[in-house]
């Protein structure tokens, strides 16, 4: 069979054109394997790419940025009390305080679960620390362990504030209500739940933070510390 130029059989030319077309068509549909692609790994779900919060009972909870937390009405009772604190503490800012309170909430919850007394002592008043430490001691004596994981903080709201004079110093106190999606469960020696739930649960807590201010309008001693924590 003669393959010299100008003498190619018509049927071979047609077959070659068809084959080339099929190769190009398949590449356009399937893409080209580069060797760098991860095989067998499904793509991330759309919700994960969008950065939405976890789905709780069939609803997706948004993750509001700390800057979006609402502050009390400046003309309302709590807003007026915060303004009084600001008059005594020239560096006080409600939004900055709330961001710090939210960070402290996460840190303290985790430290209590892990029995991290160093972190607790640095972030709690003496009375609050003694209460937390007593709970840890009782837990350790029973061979129990605490599991805690904050999945999302849905709300962080200042609900009240107070400023009182104590022996030449001023004690500022601010109540913050936290609503969070958490896993919080106490496990016994056998690893079985003693209390709480090994599932995401919406919890509401009311925490009181305190700070001592001196007469010159600046902080005296440590920064804001947790003085009281209870369910709300």
């Amino acid at each position: 069979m003669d393959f010299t130029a100008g003498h190619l059989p018509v049927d071979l030319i047609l077959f070659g054109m068809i084959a080339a077309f099929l190769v190009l068509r398949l590449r356009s549909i399937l893409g080209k394997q580069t060797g760098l692609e991860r095989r067998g790994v499904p793509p991330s779900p759309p919700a994960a790419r969008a950065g939405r919060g976890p789905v709780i009972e069939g609803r997706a909870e948004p993750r509001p940025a700390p800057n979006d937390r609402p502050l009390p009405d400046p003309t309302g009772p709590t807003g007026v009390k915060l303004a009084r604190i600001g008059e005594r503490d020239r560096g006080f800012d409600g939004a900055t305080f709330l961001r710090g309170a939210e960070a402290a909430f996460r840190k303290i919850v985790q430290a209590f679960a892990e029995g991290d007394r160093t972190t607790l002592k640095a972030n709690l008043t003496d009375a609050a620390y003694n209460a937390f430490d007593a709970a840890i001691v009782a837990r350790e004596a029973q061979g129990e362990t605490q599991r805690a994981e904050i999945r999302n903080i849905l709300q962080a709201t200042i609900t009240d504030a107070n400023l009182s004079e104590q022996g030449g110093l001023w004690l500022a106190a601010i109540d913050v209500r936290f609503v969070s999606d958490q896993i919080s469960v106490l496990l016994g020696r056998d690893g079985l739940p003693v209390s709480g739930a090994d599932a995401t649960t919406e919890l509401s807590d009311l925490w009181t933070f305190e700070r001592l201010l001196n007469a010159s309008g600046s902080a005296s001693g440590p920064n804001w510390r947790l003085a009281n924590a209870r369910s709300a």
Side-chain angles (χ1 to χ4, degrees), residues 58 104 138 145 148 202 207-208 226:
T145 56
E202 185 175 294
W207 285 23
T208 301
L226 176 63

Side-chain angles (χ1 to χ4, degrees), residues 6-226:
H7 296 84
L8 291 177
V10 174
D11 54 345
L12 288 181
I13 295 175
L14 290 175
F15 285 143
M17 293 175 63
I18 293 171
F21 171 79
L22 290 176
V23 169
L24 292 175
R25 181 63 176 167
L26 286 173
R27 283 191 177 185
S28 67
I29 295 174
L30 301 177
K32 184 178 180 181
Q33 185 69 265
T34 65
L36 298 177
E37 298 163 8
R38 297 174 60 188
R39 302 182 183 182
V41 179
S44 300
R49 291 199 198 101
R52 297 191 301 171
V55 176
I56 308 297
E57 297 178 353
R59 72 186 192 282
E61 296 292 353
R63 295 181 182 273
N67 290 337
D68 295 334
R69 304 296 191 195
L71 293 174
D73 181 355
T75 62
T78 302
V80 171
K81 293 176 183 178
L82 291 176
R84 288 187 59 216
I85 293 175
E87 292 172 359
R88 286 288 173 182
D89 181 1
R90 293 188 295 271
F92 176 78
D93 173 73
T96 301
F97 164 82
L98 204 49
R99 285 195 293 271
E102 187 169 338
F105 178 76
R106 292 180 180 274
K107 182 189 300 183
I108 293 170
V109 167
Q110 194 64 40
F112 175 68
E114 296 173 356
D116 181 357
R117 290 175 169 86
T118 300
T119 297
L120 293 175
K121 199 167 187 63
N123 290 274
L124 275 62
T125 63
D126 291 343
Y129 173 79
N130 290 337
F132 275 60
D133 182 59
I136 293 173
V137 169
R139 191 173 69 200
E140 292 172 341
Q142 295 295 324
E144 298 170 340
T145 56
Q146 181 81 31
R147 183 188 172 206
E149 180 184 347
I150 298 177
R151 294 293 182 86
N152 192 12
I153 297 181
L154 307 176
Q155 297 178 28
T157 309
I158 296 176
T159 60
D160 200 2
N162 190 43
L163 184 65
S164 58
E165 188 175 7
Q166 292 191 354
L169 297 176
W170 290 87
L171 179 65
I174 300 179
D175 291 343
V176 181
R177 181 173 180 261
F178 296 102
V179 178
S180 60
D181 286 332
Q182 289 189 44
I183 293 177
S184 181
V185 58
L186 183 66
L187 303 175
R189 292 181 189 273
D190 54 5
L192 297 177
V194 175
S195 63
D198 193 13
T200 304
T201 305
E202 185 175 294
L203 301 176
S204 180
D205 299 278
L206 187 62
W207 285 23
T208 301
F209 294 91
E210 291 183 353
R211 186 182 193 184
L212 278 174
L213 308 173
N214 59 31
S216 64
S218 59
S220 175
N223 207 335
W224 292 96
R225 296 193 297 174
L226 176 63

